[in-house]
Structure formats: structure tokens, C-alpha cells
Amino acid sequence: MKLTIFAATGRIGALVVDQALAAGHDVTAVVRNPGRVPADVHTVAADLSAPDAAVLESAVSGADAVISGLGPRRLADAGITAPGTRAIVAAMKAAGVRRLVVVSAAPVGTVASPGRPNPPRYDPGDGFFMRHLLSPMIKTIVRRHYADLAVMEDVLRESGLDWTVVRPPRLTNGPRTGRYRTAFGQNLRGGTYVSRADVADLMLATLDRAESIGQSIGVAQRGRL
């Protein structure tokens, strides 16, 4: 499969690139700094905070699918995901590419946005501790980031593309295990963490799952902390 991967040097994007290459996919990595990508990977230099439409269209042209690991490296960078994703969507439409898989976050299903002003108060997969203690605390600390992700999901719902959103909880640097739980449209009960490597694994596996189109997917490691 021919894949275009955005934020390909990020903590999830780099793992998607590695796993995609190992699986034999043809990869185009879209990055701000091509020098951070292995020399044998085709790269396109692009800054999604100031996107060049022609460059992005060229990057996705001919792709079977696009994967985006776009997100802020620091809390201070919150606000880049929605506009960056909007630019990716525009490029895909211009190039006639339909399949898109992006990473979001577990709490976003209960975050209000212009396109979804009245989300459910609780995620159906969250237990008492997550609903009443952990999730409200997390959303307070990273409010701007989650608001940005919620708008990003609005962009996808309005895009007309064949999109899928992966919503992980707390991310770790653990290994790729392939042993994780998933659920459409909700989080996982007791699912407090998952490795970035397993998120990358799921994003690639989702490409061939037609039932995932137009869906959010909750993911979490098996077992509990």
C-alpha cells in the first residue's frame, strides 16, 4: 500500500513509519525537518502551521491512504492539530485521496466543539474513577489541547472523506505488543494506558477495516495498571 504519513518524526508518527516500512508499504513521510527521517525514506518538507497547499497535494497524490500523527510536542503548542488537519483534508480532496486515519485522545468524546456543542457528559466506556476524578482533572490541565482535538474531529466529520479517529488514553513508551483492546465509539472500561507502538499498530491495521470508516476507536492495553 502507498501511504503518506504526516508528523512522521513525532512520537507516534515515527513508529508508524517504522512499522509501515517493516510491513512492506511504500511510505512518503511529511515532516518539518527531513534530516530527521532515515535516508531511504521518501520525504516531503512541510510545515503544517503554515501549510503550502501545492506541497501537501503533491505529498498525498497517488496515496492509497493517509495517516496523521499530528499533535503538539508541548502543551504550549496546543492549537496546531485542527488547522493542520484541515490543510491535510483539503490536499486529499484536491488529489482525490479518500482514506485517512488520525490520532486523537480518549477524553475528546465528551469535549464540546462548534460542530458538536452538546456531547455526552460521560463516555459509556469510562468507569466511576475515570468519569468523576481522572478525566475532569486531565481535561482541566490540557483543556486547550482537547478543544483543538475536538475541532479536528469536527473537520473530519465535515470532510466527506473515509476517516477513522483513534482515541488512546495515557500514552507510554512501552513495546508493540499487538495485545490491546478496541471499541467503536467509546473508551475501554479500566483502560488507562496504551503504548505509542500499539497505537501505531492499530492505525495501520485500521486501514483495511471498512467498518471503521466514519468511526472513532477507543484503544487500551489489556489489563489494568
Side-chain angles (χ1 to χ4, degrees), residues 11-12 15-16 19 103 166 168-182 193-206 217 219-222:
R11 287 186 289 180
I12 289 177
L15 293 166
V16 175
Q19 293 180 23
V103 65
V166 174
R170 182 174 67 85
L171 293 164
T172 76
N173 292 323
R176 177 188 184 186
T177 69
R179 299 189 301 274
Y180 47 81
R181 297 174 291 146
T182 62
Y193 72 105
V194 68
S195 71
R196 291 178 176 86
D198 274 338
V199 172
D201 181 273
L202 175 61
M203 294 178 82
L204 286 166
T206 296
I217 304 179
V219 58
Q221 215 83 30
R222 293 193 178 279

PDB file of all heavy atoms in Angstrom, residues 11-12 15-16 19 103 166 168-182 193-206 217 219-222:
ATOM      1  N   ARG A  11       6.324  11.281  18.047  1.00  0.00           N
ATOM      2  CA  ARG A  11       6.490  10.077  18.863  1.00  0.00           C
ATOM      3  C   ARG A  11       5.591   8.930  18.418  1.00  0.00           C
ATOM      4  O   ARG A  11       5.937   7.761  18.621  1.00  0.00           O
ATOM      5  CB  ARG A  11       6.273  10.419  20.339  1.00  0.00           C
ATOM      6  CG  ARG A  11       7.437  11.217  20.914  1.00  0.00           C
ATOM      7  CD  ARG A  11       7.310  11.439  22.401  1.00  0.00           C
ATOM      8  NE  ARG A  11       6.251  12.386  22.715  1.00  0.00           N
ATOM      9  CZ  ARG A  11       5.931  12.746  23.956  1.00  0.00           C
ATOM     10  NH1 ARG A  11       6.559  12.210  24.994  1.00  0.00           N
ATOM     11  NH2 ARG A  11       4.967  13.632  24.166  1.00  0.00           N
ATOM     12  N   ILE A  12       4.467   9.232  17.801  1.00  0.00           N
ATOM     13  CA  ILE A  12       3.643   8.179  17.197  1.00  0.00           C
ATOM     14  C   ILE A  12       3.974   8.041  15.716  1.00  0.00           C
ATOM     15  O   ILE A  12       4.130   6.931  15.208  1.00  0.00           O
ATOM     16  CB  ILE A  12       2.146   8.468  17.402  1.00  0.00           C
ATOM     17  CG1 ILE A  12       1.772   8.271  18.875  1.00  0.00           C
ATOM     18  CG2 ILE A  12       1.292   7.557  16.522  1.00  0.00           C
ATOM     19  CD1 ILE A  12       0.329   8.609  19.208  1.00  0.00           C
ATOM     20  N   LEU A  15       6.897   5.856  14.769  1.00  0.00           N
ATOM     21  CA  LEU A  15       6.613   4.426  14.940  1.00  0.00           C
ATOM     22  C   LEU A  15       5.739   3.911  13.799  1.00  0.00           C
ATOM     23  O   LEU A  15       5.919   2.773  13.341  1.00  0.00           O
ATOM     24  CB  LEU A  15       5.921   4.197  16.284  1.00  0.00           C
ATOM     25  CG  LEU A  15       6.791   4.471  17.507  1.00  0.00           C
ATOM     26  CD1 LEU A  15       5.927   4.546  18.772  1.00  0.00           C
ATOM     27  CD2 LEU A  15       7.857   3.389  17.670  1.00  0.00           C
ATOM     28  N   VAL A  16       4.812   4.727  13.327  1.00  0.00           N
ATOM     29  CA  VAL A  16       4.005   4.337  12.169  1.00  0.00           C
ATOM     30  C   VAL A  16       4.902   4.132  10.954  1.00  0.00           C
ATOM     31  O   VAL A  16       4.760   3.148  10.214  1.00  0.00           O
ATOM     32  CB  VAL A  16       2.925   5.398  11.869  1.00  0.00           C
ATOM     33  CG1 VAL A  16       2.178   5.037  10.584  1.00  0.00           C
ATOM     34  CG2 VAL A  16       1.939   5.523  13.018  1.00  0.00           C
ATOM     35  N   GLN A  19       6.912   0.832  11.378  1.00  0.00           N
ATOM     36  CA  GLN A  19       6.073  -0.361  11.226  1.00  0.00           C
ATOM     37  C   GLN A  19       5.566  -0.507   9.795  1.00  0.00           C
ATOM     38  O   GLN A  19       5.460  -1.633   9.273  1.00  0.00           O
ATOM     39  CB  GLN A  19       4.909  -0.301  12.205  1.00  0.00           C
ATOM     40  CG  GLN A  19       5.334  -0.420  13.666  1.00  0.00           C
ATOM     41  CD  GLN A  19       4.162  -0.370  14.623  1.00  0.00           C
ATOM     42  OE1 GLN A  19       3.022  -0.657  14.259  1.00  0.00           O
ATOM     43  NE2 GLN A  19       4.430   0.011  15.861  1.00  0.00           N
ATOM     44  N   VAL A 103      -4.884  10.319  14.857  1.00  0.00           N
ATOM     45  CA  VAL A 103      -4.868  10.056  16.291  1.00  0.00           C
ATOM     46  C   VAL A 103      -5.470  11.245  17.028  1.00  0.00           C
ATOM     47  O   VAL A 103      -5.219  12.402  16.698  1.00  0.00           O
ATOM     48  CB  VAL A 103      -3.438   9.755  16.802  1.00  0.00           C
ATOM     49  CG1 VAL A 103      -2.522  10.958  16.655  1.00  0.00           C
ATOM     50  CG2 VAL A 103      -3.471   9.268  18.241  1.00  0.00           C
ATOM     51  N   VAL A 166      -8.509   7.409  16.006  1.00  0.00           N
ATOM     52  CA  VAL A 166      -8.062   6.527  17.084  1.00  0.00           C
ATOM     53  C   VAL A 166      -7.888   7.374  18.341  1.00  0.00           C
ATOM     54  O   VAL A 166      -7.163   8.370  18.321  1.00  0.00           O
ATOM     55  CB  VAL A 166      -6.743   5.827  16.711  1.00  0.00           C
ATOM     56  CG1 VAL A 166      -6.207   5.018  17.894  1.00  0.00           C
ATOM     57  CG2 VAL A 166      -6.958   4.920  15.504  1.00  0.00           C
ATOM     58  N   PRO A 168      -6.590   7.127  21.988  1.00  0.00           N
ATOM     59  CA  PRO A 168      -5.899   6.426  23.074  1.00  0.00           C
ATOM     60  C   PRO A 168      -6.019   7.185  24.395  1.00  0.00           C
ATOM     61  O   PRO A 168      -6.186   8.410  24.409  1.00  0.00           O
ATOM     62  CB  PRO A 168      -4.446   6.400  22.607  1.00  0.00           C
ATOM     63  CG  PRO A 168      -4.317   7.659  21.785  1.00  0.00           C
ATOM     64  CD  PRO A 168      -5.641   7.846  21.108  1.00  0.00           C
ATOM     65  N   PRO A 169      -5.889   6.468  25.519  1.00  0.00           N
ATOM     66  CA  PRO A 169      -5.751   7.120  26.825  1.00  0.00           C
ATOM     67  C   PRO A 169      -4.289   7.522  27.041  1.00  0.00           C
ATOM     68  O   PRO A 169      -3.606   7.872  26.082  1.00  0.00           O
ATOM     69  CB  PRO A 169      -6.212   6.028  27.796  1.00  0.00           C
ATOM     70  CG  PRO A 169      -5.816   4.756  27.108  1.00  0.00           C
ATOM     71  CD  PRO A 169      -5.935   5.024  25.627  1.00  0.00           C
ATOM     72  N   ARG A 170      -3.807   7.434  28.266  1.00  0.00           N
ATOM     73  CA  ARG A 170      -2.422   7.827  28.548  1.00  0.00           C
ATOM     74  C   ARG A 170      -1.453   6.990  27.716  1.00  0.00           C
ATOM     75  O   ARG A 170      -1.552   5.758  27.678  1.00  0.00           O
ATOM     76  CB  ARG A 170      -2.110   7.647  30.044  1.00  0.00           C
ATOM     77  CG  ARG A 170      -0.698   8.096  30.414  1.00  0.00           C
ATOM     78  CD  ARG A 170      -0.480   8.053  31.912  1.00  0.00           C
ATOM     79  NE  ARG A 170      -0.500   6.704  32.439  1.00  0.00           N
ATOM     80  CZ  ARG A 170       0.552   5.889  32.458  1.00  0.00           C
ATOM     81  NH1 ARG A 170       1.699   6.290  31.954  1.00  0.00           N
ATOM     82  NH2 ARG A 170       0.457   4.680  32.995  1.00  0.00           N
ATOM     83  N   LEU A 171      -0.521   7.677  27.068  1.00  0.00           N
ATOM     84  CA  LEU A 171       0.435   7.004  26.190  1.00  0.00           C
ATOM     85  C   LEU A 171       1.726   6.683  26.925  1.00  0.00           C
ATOM     86  O   LEU A 171       2.225   7.485  27.717  1.00  0.00           O
ATOM     87  CB  LEU A 171       0.744   7.901  24.986  1.00  0.00           C
ATOM     88  CG  LEU A 171      -0.444   8.126  24.036  1.00  0.00           C
ATOM     89  CD1 LEU A 171      -0.182   9.313  23.127  1.00  0.00           C
ATOM     90  CD2 LEU A 171      -0.720   6.872  23.226  1.00  0.00           C
ATOM     91  N   THR A 172       2.269   5.501  26.644  1.00  0.00           N
ATOM     92  CA  THR A 172       3.535   5.093  27.234  1.00  0.00           C
ATOM     93  C   THR A 172       4.536   4.790  26.124  1.00  0.00           C
ATOM     94  O   THR A 172       4.181   4.695  24.947  1.00  0.00           O
ATOM     95  CB  THR A 172       3.380   3.832  28.107  1.00  0.00           C
ATOM     96  OG1 THR A 172       3.244   2.669  27.253  1.00  0.00           O
ATOM     97  CG2 THR A 172       2.173   3.933  29.030  1.00  0.00           C
ATOM     98  N   ASN A 173       5.788   4.610  26.517  1.00  0.00           N
ATOM     99  CA  ASN A 173       6.838   4.234  25.567  1.00  0.00           C
ATOM    100  C   ASN A 173       7.094   2.738  25.561  1.00  0.00           C
ATOM    101  O   ASN A 173       8.172   2.287  25.176  1.00  0.00           O
ATOM    102  CB  ASN A 173       8.127   4.994  25.893  1.00  0.00           C
ATOM    103  CG  ASN A 173       7.999   6.478  25.622  1.00  0.00           C
ATOM    104  OD1 ASN A 173       7.356   6.891  24.653  1.00  0.00           O
ATOM    105  ND2 ASN A 173       8.574   7.294  26.492  1.00  0.00           N
ATOM    106  N   GLY A 174       6.105   1.970  25.982  1.00  0.00           N
ATOM    107  CA  GLY A 174       6.235   0.518  26.001  1.00  0.00           C
ATOM    108  C   GLY A 174       6.343  -0.075  24.611  1.00  0.00           C
ATOM    109  O   GLY A 174       6.197   0.628  23.596  1.00  0.00           O
ATOM    110  N   PRO A 175       6.580  -1.366  24.526  1.00  0.00           N
ATOM    111  CA  PRO A 175       6.787  -2.025  23.232  1.00  0.00           C
ATOM    112  C   PRO A 175       5.474  -2.242  22.478  1.00  0.00           C
ATOM    113  O   PRO A 175       4.383  -2.121  23.034  1.00  0.00           O
ATOM    114  CB  PRO A 175       7.397  -3.374  23.627  1.00  0.00           C
ATOM    115  CG  PRO A 175       6.798  -3.655  24.970  1.00  0.00           C
ATOM    116  CD  PRO A 175       6.722  -2.314  25.659  1.00  0.00           C
ATOM    117  N   ARG A 176       5.621  -2.575  21.232  1.00  0.00           N
ATOM    118  CA  ARG A 176       4.484  -3.016  20.414  1.00  0.00           C
ATOM    119  C   ARG A 176       4.140  -4.447  20.816  1.00  0.00           C
ATOM    120  O   ARG A 176       4.964  -5.347  20.694  1.00  0.00           O
ATOM    121  CB  ARG A 176       4.867  -2.949  18.944  1.00  0.00           C
ATOM    122  CG  ARG A 176       3.815  -3.444  17.976  1.00  0.00           C
ATOM    123  CD  ARG A 176       4.432  -3.481  16.593  1.00  0.00           C
ATOM    124  NE  ARG A 176       3.498  -3.845  15.557  1.00  0.00           N
ATOM    125  CZ  ARG A 176       3.844  -4.045  14.285  1.00  0.00           C
ATOM    126  NH1 ARG A 176       5.121  -3.922  13.921  1.00  0.00           N
ATOM    127  NH2 ARG A 176       2.941  -4.369  13.380  1.00  0.00           N
ATOM    128  N   THR A 177       2.938  -4.642  21.315  1.00  0.00           N
ATOM    129  CA  THR A 177       2.539  -5.974  21.768  1.00  0.00           C
ATOM    130  C   THR A 177       1.485  -6.604  20.869  1.00  0.00           C
ATOM    131  O   THR A 177       1.400  -7.833  20.775  1.00  0.00           O
ATOM    132  CB  THR A 177       1.971  -5.916  23.197  1.00  0.00           C
ATOM    133  OG1 THR A 177       0.710  -5.229  23.178  1.00  0.00           O
ATOM    134  CG2 THR A 177       2.930  -5.208  24.144  1.00  0.00           C
ATOM    135  N   GLY A 178       0.651  -5.767  20.241  1.00  0.00           N
ATOM    136  CA  GLY A 178      -0.479  -6.285  19.479  1.00  0.00           C
ATOM    137  C   GLY A 178      -1.585  -6.790  20.377  1.00  0.00           C
ATOM    138  O   GLY A 178      -2.637  -7.238  19.894  1.00  0.00           O
ATOM    139  N   ARG A 179      -1.383  -6.713  21.691  1.00  0.00           N
ATOM    140  CA  ARG A 179      -2.368  -7.220  22.657  1.00  0.00           C
ATOM    141  C   ARG A 179      -3.067  -6.027  23.315  1.00  0.00           C
ATOM    142  O   ARG A 179      -2.735  -5.617  24.419  1.00  0.00           O
ATOM    143  CB  ARG A 179      -1.693  -8.096  23.710  1.00  0.00           C
ATOM    144  CG  ARG A 179      -1.010  -9.322  23.134  1.00  0.00           C
ATOM    145  CD  ARG A 179      -0.549 -10.275  24.233  1.00  0.00           C
ATOM    146  NE  ARG A 179       0.379  -9.637  25.154  1.00  0.00           N
ATOM    147  CZ  ARG A 179       1.695  -9.558  24.964  1.00  0.00           C
ATOM    148  NH1 ARG A 179       2.224 -10.072  23.861  1.00  0.00           N
ATOM    149  NH2 ARG A 179       2.475  -8.966  25.833  1.00  0.00           N
ATOM    150  N   TYR A 180      -4.001  -5.456  22.597  1.00  0.00           N
ATOM    151  CA  TYR A 180      -4.748  -4.317  23.121  1.00  0.00           C
ATOM    152  C   TYR A 180      -6.224  -4.515  22.787  1.00  0.00           C
ATOM    153  O   TYR A 180      -6.595  -5.276  21.897  1.00  0.00           O
ATOM    154  CB  TYR A 180      -4.237  -3.003  22.530  1.00  0.00           C
ATOM    155  CG  TYR A 180      -4.055  -3.008  21.028  1.00  0.00           C
ATOM    156  CD1 TYR A 180      -5.137  -2.823  20.161  1.00  0.00           C
ATOM    157  CD2 TYR A 180      -2.800  -3.225  20.465  1.00  0.00           C
ATOM    158  CE1 TYR A 180      -4.963  -2.844  18.796  1.00  0.00           C
ATOM    159  CE2 TYR A 180      -2.621  -3.237  19.094  1.00  0.00           C
ATOM    160  CZ  TYR A 180      -3.707  -3.041  18.263  1.00  0.00           C
ATOM    161  OH  TYR A 180      -3.548  -3.059  16.902  1.00  0.00           O
ATOM    162  N   ARG A 181      -7.048  -3.823  23.549  1.00  0.00           N
ATOM    163  CA  ARG A 181      -8.487  -3.883  23.343  1.00  0.00           C
ATOM    164  C   ARG A 181      -8.936  -2.669  22.536  1.00  0.00           C
ATOM    165  O   ARG A 181      -8.324  -1.611  22.631  1.00  0.00           O
ATOM    166  CB  ARG A 181      -9.222  -3.883  24.694  1.00  0.00           C
ATOM    167  CG  ARG A 181      -8.902  -5.096  25.567  1.00  0.00           C
ATOM    168  CD  ARG A 181      -9.556  -4.957  26.936  1.00  0.00           C
ATOM    169  NE  ARG A 181      -8.950  -3.899  27.731  1.00  0.00           N
ATOM    170  CZ  ARG A 181      -9.602  -3.128  28.588  1.00  0.00           C
ATOM    171  NH1 ARG A 181     -10.902  -3.265  28.757  1.00  0.00           N
ATOM    172  NH2 ARG A 181      -8.954  -2.207  29.296  1.00  0.00           N
ATOM    173  N   THR A 182      -9.998  -2.833  21.761  1.00  0.00           N
ATOM    174  CA  THR A 182     -10.554  -1.718  21.000  1.00  0.00           C
ATOM    175  C   THR A 182     -12.076  -1.729  21.123  1.00  0.00           C
ATOM    176  O   THR A 182     -12.688  -2.756  21.407  1.00  0.00           O
ATOM    177  CB  THR A 182     -10.180  -1.785  19.512  1.00  0.00           C
ATOM    178  OG1 THR A 182     -10.714  -2.984  18.933  1.00  0.00           O
ATOM    179  CG2 THR A 182      -8.674  -1.748  19.325  1.00  0.00           C
ATOM    180  N   TYR A 193      -4.193   3.165  29.895  1.00  0.00           N
ATOM    181  CA  TYR A 193      -2.943   3.419  29.185  1.00  0.00           C
ATOM    182  C   TYR A 193      -2.816   2.506  27.982  1.00  0.00           C
ATOM    183  O   TYR A 193      -3.489   1.466  27.873  1.00  0.00           O
ATOM    184  CB  TYR A 193      -1.740   3.235  30.110  1.00  0.00           C
ATOM    185  CG  TYR A 193      -1.459   1.776  30.454  1.00  0.00           C
ATOM    186  CD1 TYR A 193      -0.397   1.094  29.875  1.00  0.00           C
ATOM    187  CD2 TYR A 193      -2.270   1.084  31.350  1.00  0.00           C
ATOM    188  CE1 TYR A 193      -0.143  -0.233  30.172  1.00  0.00           C
ATOM    189  CE2 TYR A 193      -2.025  -0.239  31.668  1.00  0.00           C
ATOM    190  CZ  TYR A 193      -0.968  -0.896  31.070  1.00  0.00           C
ATOM    191  OH  TYR A 193      -0.730  -2.215  31.363  1.00  0.00           O
ATOM    192  N   VAL A 194      -1.931   2.883  27.058  1.00  0.00           N
ATOM    193  CA  VAL A 194      -1.577   2.062  25.903  1.00  0.00           C
ATOM    194  C   VAL A 194      -0.237   2.584  25.388  1.00  0.00           C
ATOM    195  O   VAL A 194       0.067   3.777  25.532  1.00  0.00           O
ATOM    196  CB  VAL A 194      -2.661   2.132  24.807  1.00  0.00           C
ATOM    197  CG1 VAL A 194      -2.720   3.520  24.167  1.00  0.00           C
ATOM    198  CG2 VAL A 194      -2.450   1.069  23.738  1.00  0.00           C
ATOM    199  N   SER A 195       0.562   1.722  24.808  1.00  0.00           N
ATOM    200  CA  SER A 195       1.851   2.170  24.277  1.00  0.00           C
ATOM    201  C   SER A 195       1.668   2.874  22.934  1.00  0.00           C
ATOM    202  O   SER A 195       0.749   2.565  22.164  1.00  0.00           O
ATOM    203  CB  SER A 195       2.808   0.985  24.103  1.00  0.00           C
ATOM    204  OG  SER A 195       2.394   0.153  23.029  1.00  0.00           O
ATOM    205  N   ARG A 196       2.528   3.829  22.666  1.00  0.00           N
ATOM    206  CA  ARG A 196       2.510   4.504  21.369  1.00  0.00           C
ATOM    207  C   ARG A 196       2.733   3.503  20.238  1.00  0.00           C
ATOM    208  O   ARG A 196       2.160   3.641  19.156  1.00  0.00           O
ATOM    209  CB  ARG A 196       3.584   5.590  21.327  1.00  0.00           C
ATOM    210  CG  ARG A 196       3.289   6.773  22.251  1.00  0.00           C
ATOM    211  CD  ARG A 196       4.402   7.821  22.211  1.00  0.00           C
ATOM    212  NE  ARG A 196       4.049   8.975  23.035  1.00  0.00           N
ATOM    213  CZ  ARG A 196       4.284   9.063  24.344  1.00  0.00           C
ATOM    214  NH1 ARG A 196       4.895   8.048  24.973  1.00  0.00           N
ATOM    215  NH2 ARG A 196       3.930  10.132  25.020  1.00  0.00           N
ATOM    216  N   ALA A 197       3.556   2.495  20.489  1.00  0.00           N
ATOM    217  CA  ALA A 197       3.824   1.486  19.458  1.00  0.00           C
ATOM    218  C   ALA A 197       2.559   0.705  19.116  1.00  0.00           C
ATOM    219  O   ALA A 197       2.331   0.357  17.947  1.00  0.00           O
ATOM    220  CB  ALA A 197       4.925   0.540  19.936  1.00  0.00           C
ATOM    221  N   ASP A 198       1.708   0.436  20.105  1.00  0.00           N
ATOM    222  CA  ASP A 198       0.457  -0.261  19.822  1.00  0.00           C
ATOM    223  C   ASP A 198      -0.560   0.656  19.151  1.00  0.00           C
ATOM    224  O   ASP A 198      -1.379   0.203  18.346  1.00  0.00           O
ATOM    225  CB  ASP A 198      -0.124  -0.864  21.099  1.00  0.00           C
ATOM    226  CG  ASP A 198       0.446  -2.250  21.403  1.00  0.00           C
ATOM    227  OD1 ASP A 198       0.947  -2.903  20.469  1.00  0.00           O
ATOM    228  OD2 ASP A 198       0.386  -2.679  22.565  1.00  0.00           O
ATOM    229  N   VAL A 199      -0.526   1.947  19.452  1.00  0.00           N
ATOM    230  CA  VAL A 199      -1.372   2.896  18.720  1.00  0.00           C
ATOM    231  C   VAL A 199      -0.980   2.911  17.246  1.00  0.00           C
ATOM    232  O   VAL A 199      -1.840   2.886  16.355  1.00  0.00           O
ATOM    233  CB  VAL A 199      -1.272   4.306  19.332  1.00  0.00           C
ATOM    234  CG1 VAL A 199      -1.996   5.324  18.446  1.00  0.00           C
ATOM    235  CG2 VAL A 199      -1.856   4.321  20.737  1.00  0.00           C
ATOM    236  N   ALA A 200       0.314   2.937  16.970  1.00  0.00           N
ATOM    237  CA  ALA A 200       0.786   2.885  15.587  1.00  0.00           C
ATOM    238  C   ALA A 200       0.322   1.606  14.908  1.00  0.00           C
ATOM    239  O   ALA A 200      -0.127   1.617  13.748  1.00  0.00           O
ATOM    240  CB  ALA A 200       2.311   2.989  15.550  1.00  0.00           C
ATOM    241  N   ASP A 201       0.409   0.491  15.625  1.00  0.00           N
ATOM    242  CA  ASP A 201      -0.037  -0.798  15.105  1.00  0.00           C
ATOM    243  C   ASP A 201      -1.512  -0.742  14.722  1.00  0.00           C
ATOM    244  O   ASP A 201      -1.916  -1.189  13.640  1.00  0.00           O
ATOM    245  CB  ASP A 201       0.204  -1.875  16.163  1.00  0.00           C
ATOM    246  CG  ASP A 201      -0.204  -3.260  15.703  1.00  0.00           C
ATOM    247  OD1 ASP A 201      -1.386  -3.630  15.870  1.00  0.00           O
ATOM    248  OD2 ASP A 201       0.661  -3.989  15.174  1.00  0.00           O
ATOM    249  N   LEU A 202      -2.335  -0.172  15.604  1.00  0.00           N
ATOM    250  CA  LEU A 202      -3.772  -0.076  15.340  1.00  0.00           C
ATOM    251  C   LEU A 202      -4.057   0.839  14.154  1.00  0.00           C
ATOM    252  O   LEU A 202      -4.920   0.527  13.318  1.00  0.00           O
ATOM    253  CB  LEU A 202      -4.499   0.426  16.582  1.00  0.00           C
ATOM    254  CG  LEU A 202      -5.999   0.699  16.419  1.00  0.00           C
ATOM    255  CD1 LEU A 202      -6.741  -0.570  16.020  1.00  0.00           C
ATOM    256  CD2 LEU A 202      -6.579   1.285  17.699  1.00  0.00           C
ATOM    257  N   MET A 203      -3.360   1.948  14.063  1.00  0.00           N
ATOM    258  CA  MET A 203      -3.606   2.870  12.953  1.00  0.00           C
ATOM    259  C   MET A 203      -3.351   2.204  11.610  1.00  0.00           C
ATOM    260  O   MET A 203      -4.118   2.376  10.653  1.00  0.00           O
ATOM    261  CB  MET A 203      -2.751   4.127  13.118  1.00  0.00           C
ATOM    262  CG  MET A 203      -3.140   4.971  14.323  1.00  0.00           C
ATOM    263  SD  MET A 203      -2.105   6.432  14.570  1.00  0.00           S
ATOM    264  CE  MET A 203      -2.869   7.587  13.414  1.00  0.00           C
ATOM    265  N   LEU A 204      -2.311   1.410  11.534  1.00  0.00           N
ATOM    266  CA  LEU A 204      -2.032   0.685  10.293  1.00  0.00           C
ATOM    267  C   LEU A 204      -3.047  -0.433  10.056  1.00  0.00           C
ATOM    268  O   LEU A 204      -3.528  -0.614   8.938  1.00  0.00           O
ATOM    269  CB  LEU A 204      -0.615   0.115  10.335  1.00  0.00           C
ATOM    270  CG  LEU A 204       0.502   1.139  10.161  1.00  0.00           C
ATOM    271  CD1 LEU A 204       1.845   0.546  10.566  1.00  0.00           C
ATOM    272  CD2 LEU A 204       0.557   1.643   8.723  1.00  0.00           C
ATOM    273  N   ALA A 205      -3.393  -1.168  11.107  1.00  0.00           N
ATOM    274  CA  ALA A 205      -4.345  -2.266  10.964  1.00  0.00           C
ATOM    275  C   ALA A 205      -5.721  -1.759  10.541  1.00  0.00           C
ATOM    276  O   ALA A 205      -6.467  -2.448   9.831  1.00  0.00           O
ATOM    277  CB  ALA A 205      -4.446  -3.039  12.279  1.00  0.00           C
ATOM    278  N   THR A 206      -6.073  -0.550  10.970  1.00  0.00           N
ATOM    279  CA  THR A 206      -7.388   0.024  10.694  1.00  0.00           C
ATOM    280  C   THR A 206      -7.586   0.357   9.223  1.00  0.00           C
ATOM    281  O   THR A 206      -8.714   0.410   8.736  1.00  0.00           O
ATOM    282  CB  THR A 206      -7.578   1.295  11.556  1.00  0.00           C
ATOM    283  OG1 THR A 206      -7.579   0.910  12.932  1.00  0.00           O
ATOM    284  CG2 THR A 206      -8.876   1.999  11.256  1.00  0.00           C
ATOM    285  N   ILE A 217     -12.302   5.064  17.434  1.00  0.00           N
ATOM    286  CA  ILE A 217     -11.956   3.778  18.035  1.00  0.00           C
ATOM    287  C   ILE A 217     -11.227   4.029  19.344  1.00  0.00           C
ATOM    288  O   ILE A 217     -10.160   4.657  19.371  1.00  0.00           O
ATOM    289  CB  ILE A 217     -11.048   2.934  17.112  1.00  0.00           C
ATOM    290  CG1 ILE A 217     -11.701   2.718  15.750  1.00  0.00           C
ATOM    291  CG2 ILE A 217     -10.731   1.597  17.771  1.00  0.00           C
ATOM    292  CD1 ILE A 217     -10.843   1.904  14.794  1.00  0.00           C
ATOM    293  N   VAL A 219      -8.993   2.634  22.391  1.00  0.00           N
ATOM    294  CA  VAL A 219      -7.966   1.592  22.465  1.00  0.00           C
ATOM    295  C   VAL A 219      -7.316   1.647  23.837  1.00  0.00           C
ATOM    296  O   VAL A 219      -7.168   2.716  24.420  1.00  0.00           O
ATOM    297  CB  VAL A 219      -6.912   1.773  21.340  1.00  0.00           C
ATOM    298  CG1 VAL A 219      -6.249   3.146  21.418  1.00  0.00           C
ATOM    299  CG2 VAL A 219      -5.855   0.677  21.386  1.00  0.00           C
ATOM    300  N   ALA A 220      -6.949   0.504  24.360  1.00  0.00           N
ATOM    301  CA  ALA A 220      -6.247   0.445  25.641  1.00  0.00           C
ATOM    302  C   ALA A 220      -5.543  -0.898  25.760  1.00  0.00           C
ATOM    303  O   ALA A 220      -5.967  -1.893  25.172  1.00  0.00           O
ATOM    304  CB  ALA A 220      -7.192   0.621  26.828  1.00  0.00           C
ATOM    305  N   GLN A 221      -4.460  -0.894  26.521  1.00  0.00           N
ATOM    306  CA  GLN A 221      -3.724  -2.124  26.767  1.00  0.00           C
ATOM    307  C   GLN A 221      -4.603  -3.107  27.531  1.00  0.00           C
ATOM    308  O   GLN A 221      -5.520  -2.704  28.261  1.00  0.00           O
ATOM    309  CB  GLN A 221      -2.492  -1.817  27.621  1.00  0.00           C
ATOM    310  CG  GLN A 221      -1.271  -2.669  27.292  1.00  0.00           C
ATOM    311  CD  GLN A 221      -0.509  -2.108  26.116  1.00  0.00           C
ATOM    312  OE1 GLN A 221      -0.511  -0.896  25.885  1.00  0.00           O
ATOM    313  NE2 GLN A 221       0.158  -2.962  25.363  1.00  0.00           N
ATOM    314  N   ARG A 222      -4.383  -4.374  27.330  1.00  0.00           N
ATOM    315  CA  ARG A 222      -5.118  -5.372  28.097  1.00  0.00           C
ATOM    316  C   ARG A 222      -4.701  -5.296  29.565  1.00  0.00           C
ATOM    317  O   ARG A 222      -3.556  -5.057  29.880  1.00  0.00           O
ATOM    318  CB  ARG A 222      -4.865  -6.775  27.568  1.00  0.00           C
ATOM    319  CG  ARG A 222      -5.433  -6.989  26.176  1.00  0.00           C
ATOM    320  CD  ARG A 222      -5.450  -8.458  25.790  1.00  0.00           C
ATOM    321  NE  ARG A 222      -6.035  -8.631  24.464  1.00  0.00           N
ATOM    322  CZ  ARG A 222      -7.329  -8.657  24.207  1.00  0.00           C
ATOM    323  NH1 ARG A 222      -8.188  -8.507  25.197  1.00  0.00           N
ATOM    324  NH2 ARG A 222      -7.776  -8.813  22.978  1.00  0.00           N
TER     325      ARG A 222
END
